[in-house]
Amino acid sequence: MAAPATVGVMKAARSFASDNNASIHPAVLKAIAAANQGHTVGYGDDRWTESAIRRFRQIFGTDCEPFIVFNGTAANCLALKWLTQSYEAVICSEGAHIQTDECGAPERFTGCKLLPLPAPHGKLTVEAVAHAYHGIGDQHHVQPRVISITQATEVGTVYQPEEIGELAEFAHERQMFLHMDGARIANAAVNLGLGLRQISRDLGVDALSFGGTKNGCMGAEAVILFPQKNRHASSSGEKPGHNFLFLRKQGMQLASKMRFISAQFDALLSDNLWRKNAAHANRMAKLLERELRRIPQIQIVYPVEANGVFAKIPRRCIAKIQQRYFFYVWNEEDSIVRWMCSFDTTEQDVKQFVKFVAECMAD
Amino acid sequence: MAAPATVGVMKAARSFASDNNASIHPAVLKAIAAANQGHTVGYGDDRWTESAIRRFRQIFGTDCEPFIVFNGTAANCLALKWLTQSYEAVICSEGAHIQTDECGAPERFTGCKLLPLPAPHGKLTVEAVAHAYHGIGDQHHVQPRVISITQATEVGTVYQPEEIGELAEFAHERQMFLHMDGARIANAAVNLGLGLRQISRDLGVDALSFGGTKNGCMGAEAVILFPQKNRHASSSGEKPGHNFLFLRKQGMQLASKMRFISAQFDALLSDNLWRKNAAHANRMAKLLERELRRIPQIQIVYPVEANGVFAKIPRRCIAKIQQRYFFYVWNEEDSIVRWMCSFDTTEQDVKQFVKFVAECMAD
Amino acid sequence: MAAPATVGVMKAARSFASDNNASIHPAVLKAIAAANQGHTVGYGDDRWTESAIRRFRQIFGTDCEPFIVFNGTAANCLALKWLTQSYEAVICSEGAHIQTDECGAPERFTGCKLLPLPAPHGKLTVEAVAHAYHGIGDQHHVQPRVISITQATEVGTVYQPEEIGELAEFAHERQMFLHMDGARIANAAVNLGLGLRQISRDLGVDALSFGGTKNGCMGAEAVILFPQKNRHASSSGEKPGHNFLFLRKQGMQLASKMRFISAQFDALLSDNLWRKNAAHANRMAKLLERELRRIPQIQIVYPVEANGVFAKIPRRCIAKIQQRYFFYVWNEEDSIVRWMCSFDTTEQDVKQFVKFVAECMAD
Amino acid sequence: MAAPATVGVMKAARSFASDNNASIHPAVLKAIAAANQGHTVGYGDDRWTESAIRRFRQIFGTDCEPFIVFNGTAANCLALKWLTQSYEAVICSEGAHIQTDECGAPERFTGCKLLPLPAPHGKLTVEAVAHAYHGIGDQHHVQPRVISITQATEVGTVYQPEEIGELAEFAHERQMFLHMDGARIANAAVNLGLGLRQISRDLGVDALSFGGTKNGCMGAEAVILFPQKNRHASSSGEKPGHNFLFLRKQGMQLASKMRFISAQFDALLSDNLWRKNAAHANRMAKLLERELRRIPQIQIVYPVEANGVFAKIPRRCIAKIQQRYFFYVWNEEDSIVRWMCSFDTTEQDVKQFVKFVAECMAD
């Protein structure tokens, strides 16, 4: 993604640059304030963390192991590290966040090579993965151990349950693991009309990066580890998450005042706030898509299934729109831009934005 | 530090376990809430981060380079990584946080060996460091490149300016760097009656881990890089902090909604809040010391110069006190415990605590 | 490369599987034996190493810095580590040895991401590299720092001098470095009719992995560092190779009885042995190509410019040939095999082999 | 160890600087030459490697897994990596080779912290280890997982079997492993009058670095992995050495022409050559000790149990002796020097040397 030369404070109240440009949901901020009472033990031995873990287990099963971390890159890297040895490899799409936007942190932290594959609409297929699965047992080659998928994908599409199930099956038959980068898992669940567990653990996901930050939190991500399906792992007889505490600390991801991150999850996972926020963001993206389709110079390039709209627009308009609205050019060569909606995007935001975009086209 | 077997929610409103058990200072929480307006660009291109950086530069000089990170372990590891090559070594005290409490993160992230030295009262001396400085140019040996000191130290003492100056001089004469772990630098500055710059950069510190979390923030730490004094570095002709952005991202320490961390520093560095908070915590520690000295069975083992009191107490009393107040046993063999005061510790907290401690002794 | 299920002792005296299946050249073995006199200081402070370094400097210039290591993977990884920071990236061809045959050692040892590019006939082009050169200064992206080329390439082709010069220019204009994996640099020099320096340093190569093992040594590789051309590096004012000693030791590549590796180079670089060996191997490959072209079912798929022949052959014949001659299938999908010639391959070896191949085809 | 400023070619035929200054034993060199026949498959699929492995298994048991590597640092680092996770720790003596002479390679390659302990006469004791065994389960602390001992030790002493057995028991009771750096294991076996297996595997060693280079090889080391005793490991149900091939390759330690390293072991392990060589070296060290004891100014500081003599000598004599005989000052402060004997040291060498030492004293 290429940012314009001068970035800075938004000119408009709410932009479409990224769901992490959004604010904190009032209920989340309130929960932080409410946790601000007296002293409590640090590093996770507090009742807010206890409560957040309880909520994760209500959703994902009592035998899962949730670990709170600071950001999404860390959630991905720690999950991958937990699933791999340094001489193994992680199969992902060529547009995966772990491949393109984490400055090599996955390689640096795990030692593994990433094997990026072409992925139409951002989705890995069993066919593509099978192609990359070779060199097994050959000491000269990295050994594929994890398939990592992003749900919803980086281009705003959503894996269907059977697509995930097939990848899980492929993985487990070969003693591999399935990792899901769920930075926007809530948006995917809303799109599919299914529960969080139904679209991850129940389909065979072994480790999940669960995102809160893009869905109304101030900064809250988690790694959720599930009892593993593959023979390689289960034979160790250890419960999921065994020793993950040390990986988190050594990975510089242990918060001392953890209660203030946990309280965010506590709020997000209460009263279906995660679902309401994501549903709203998805709805706004559909509205944005509908409105944009009325502009003939604009071509929507991926199915709008989550909270992002990817559009091919006339190159000459990009800078003009960016004068008022900061956003990222997704693909410079093809003049494709990315516009994201958030829990706090309003219908009026969308309409004003599209009106301005249309004006820029018209000039 | 050994924690009691069962830890959990505090039984008393405020404990003396750690300054990171404290709450968020109201002005800091208010600043977070005030930053929660509309959208802003992520990853630090926002006006709160701009303001926090401006404040750091007002304090430490316009040519310093501040970088905001999530926690203290990360601040230390990233600072050390920036100062070293993987085959070099970091000289520190044997009780240094980087040596004893970071689960090997410094070694893991930098590749370097730590060379821990005995340090009476937690302070490195030039004599001790000179002893560890050998094997220079010998390809079999790690090459000492950094002296890392903690100010205030892990045992509640404070380096005098001339002590730091001597270490800096020793380092720079040998093309080494001086790193300061300033998780409690505010407490040290208050004790010395000096400014933050006066006790770090002006004494020759090359890189500073600046702590906010233990002094009233929710979770805010920074690495401050100074133009380097040693010939090795300055010859590169690059400004301090060149490329540090990439180290931070690869180190999984780049916050997407950074404004909410920056706003904390913005508040802490305004109106001398950092100094007021630290001064109060130090004052409470002195009060705690005075009160404890009245109990004949208790022996204060280190000079109380910051916000912590280290006391040798009868072994049989430890569990009794912990039934009401959670705290850490610093040294099991010698039955030494650590009690920390915070910005929010009250005189009444201290008196109630000492009263309870006295009762436990009396039994 | 896929090996047949059962590998083992050669059935034929000399195979075409790999130039590292070859023996030690008699002059090299003699040099090892000649060095076996009395005691000498270890770790490179011996007269054989001194002599090998002198020879390298006669060839590559007195201001180059040669370092002897155990194997080619190490030469590549150490050279790349010396040229990079962990958040940087190495651009290479998708068939590069560092990408496909080193089990992730480059990523593990340097922390860097590799950026593999499609490369017709195994050669990177400026056009391809320019495509991968993006995200510069963007903290989310790895920063391309090295272009790594293999000369001769993994598929037996040879870069023309101007092709290398263009890549070097592209690199140096962007403060990048050019690395050459010269595991078969001798074969390339012979093909081009040029000297070793003319096809590496003089074209802008910053660091060279110099191979001896595949050209008649028992096990001898070296990293040769040249005074760097790009501004980034030269400003440091340090001579090439500064501190490389420590990287080599930390990389587990410092030989204690180094004289016995150095003596191999001493022999290889004397009396043009390196050139004679490579010239012979190249000649045998041309002979092999000529003979194979007479078999209508066989298609030579890459220009034969060094010591390897890559041929598309009927899939059904592969196992049959392997019953007598062990070799690697280069590309299973396309039924392409690799046959390598060595300094010790004889004309009779070639003829017997082709005769047998022809018989296998005929069946 | 401090080397004199100018090192270079030996002035005397055989020195006492190090057993790695020695030559190649004729039988070993002959074996290398004998292996130089025709082509053979690379990377260990050859009959010399097969034979070396068979010999290792005859000695250490058919269920051990031997892996050939280039040097001792690599053997140690790969063995430790195989036994640990990155957040764990290795307990060793403060004079251990892994701590003082490997330029941080163990930390760099494993991520682990080393925990060096004072060790009288170079030997760890259960008491010392017990002291370092703490912080178990505390996420802030590295988790001790390996006790690493050197046999014979770096100061020429030898662990008694019961000393090793106690350390193994201590380790296995705590789900830890015992690693033995056996760079000089042959010298220890000779001293104890026991077999190689009896002093390693049979006492509970889980992984052994087996040294050939210091005992007459040109450059040959191995990692021998044994079926593990501790519950942590055995529950994985995998045979020892599972996946070690990949660690070796990623660790840049896979030799392409492996037959020439394996042939060295093949010779060393034949006809008890390892024992004869070590017995001779030990005998020469005893002779050297006896002769030196006649010089009143010299004090032998450690029991001479293997092939090294450590002596406190007048400081003023060091440089004088080094004018003719290169050697290392072991401890500058205490003026202790190290003199090593080898398989090729002669009685005359010893006598000439001691005569010269005596002359230097007398001046």
Side-chain angles (χ1 to χ4, degrees), chain A residues 93 118-124 153-159 301-303 305:
Chain A
S93 84
H121 290 193
K123 296 197 255 179
L124 282 180
T153 74
E154 289 81 2
V155 296
T157 58
V158 170
Y159 281 92
V301 294
Y302 298 119
E305 296 170 349

Side-chain angles (χ1 to χ4, degrees), chain A residues 7-10 12-26 29 32-33 36-43 45-47 50 70-71 73-75 77-78 81 97 101-105 108-111 212-219 245-247 249-257 259-261 264 326 328 340 342-345, chain B residues 7-10 12-26 29 32-33 36-43 45-47 50 70-71 73-75 77-78 81 97 101-105 108-111 212-219 245-247 249-257 259-261 264 326 328 340 342-345:
Chain A
V7 298
V9 181
M10 309 306 310
R14 275 176 299 275
S15 79
F16 294 82
S18 174
D19 29 10
N20 67 30
N21 283 204
S23 58
I24 311 172
H25 188 279
L29 185 55
I32 292 173
N36 195 31
Q37 36 181 272
H39 281 208
T40 195
V41 178
Y43 305 113
D45 271 324
D46 63 81
R47 63 186 171 85
E50 203 182 309
F70 291 119
N71 68 1
T73 294
C77 291
L78 270 64
K81 171 80 176 159
H97 196 268
D101 278 299
E102 301 186 354
C103 201
R108 175 84 168 79
F109 192 67
T110 68
T213 312
K214 288 183 162 77
N215 199 26
C217 288
M218 170 181 151
L245 285 175
F246 302 106
L247 277 188
K249 176 64 189 177
Q250 201 181 39
M252 310 181 289
Q253 290 293 321
L254 178 61
S256 59
K257 292 180 169 176
R259 59 170 147 165
F260 299 112
I261 304 183
Q264 298 177 51
F326 170 69
Y328 297 97
M340 302 298 294
S342 313
F343 78 90
D344 61 355
T345 305
Chain B
V7 297
V9 180
M10 308 306 309
R14 277 178 297 277
S15 80
F16 294 83
S18 174
D19 29 10
N20 66 32
N21 284 204
S23 57
I24 311 172
H25 188 280
L29 185 55
I32 292 173
N36 195 32
Q37 34 182 270
H39 281 208
T40 195
V41 178
Y43 305 114
D45 272 322
D46 63 81
R47 63 186 171 86
E50 202 182 308
F70 291 119
N71 68 0
T73 294
C77 291
L78 269 65
K81 171 80 177 159
H97 196 268
D101 279 299
E102 301 186 354
C103 200
R108 175 85 167 80
F109 192 67
T110 69
T213 313
K214 288 182 161 78
N215 198 26
C217 287
M218 170 181 151
L245 286 175
F246 301 105
L247 277 188
K249 176 64 188 176
Q250 200 180 39
M252 310 181 288
Q253 291 293 320
L254 178 61
S256 58
K257 293 181 170 175
R259 60 171 146 166
F260 299 111
I261 305 183
Q264 298 176 50
F326 170 69
Y328 297 98
M340 302 300 292
S342 314
F343 78 90
D344 61 355
T345 305

Side-chain angles (χ1 to χ4, degrees), chain A residues 26-84:
Chain A
V28 172
L29 185 55
K30 200 171 152 192
I32 292 173
N36 195 31
Q37 36 181 272
H39 281 208
T40 195
V41 178
Y43 305 113
D45 271 324
D46 63 81
R47 63 186 171 85
W48 293 272
T49 303
E50 203 182 309
S51 176
I53 290 175
R54 199 182 316 114
R55 289 190 192 280
F56 274 121
R57 288 186 171 149
Q58 281 164 359
I59 292 171
F60 289 106
T62 52
D63 54 352
C64 77
E65 290 287 341
F67 296 92
I68 287 166
V69 298
F70 291 119
N71 68 1
T73 294
N76 287 337
C77 291
L78 270 64
L80 293 176
K81 171 80 176 159
W82 193 67
L83 296 172
T84 56

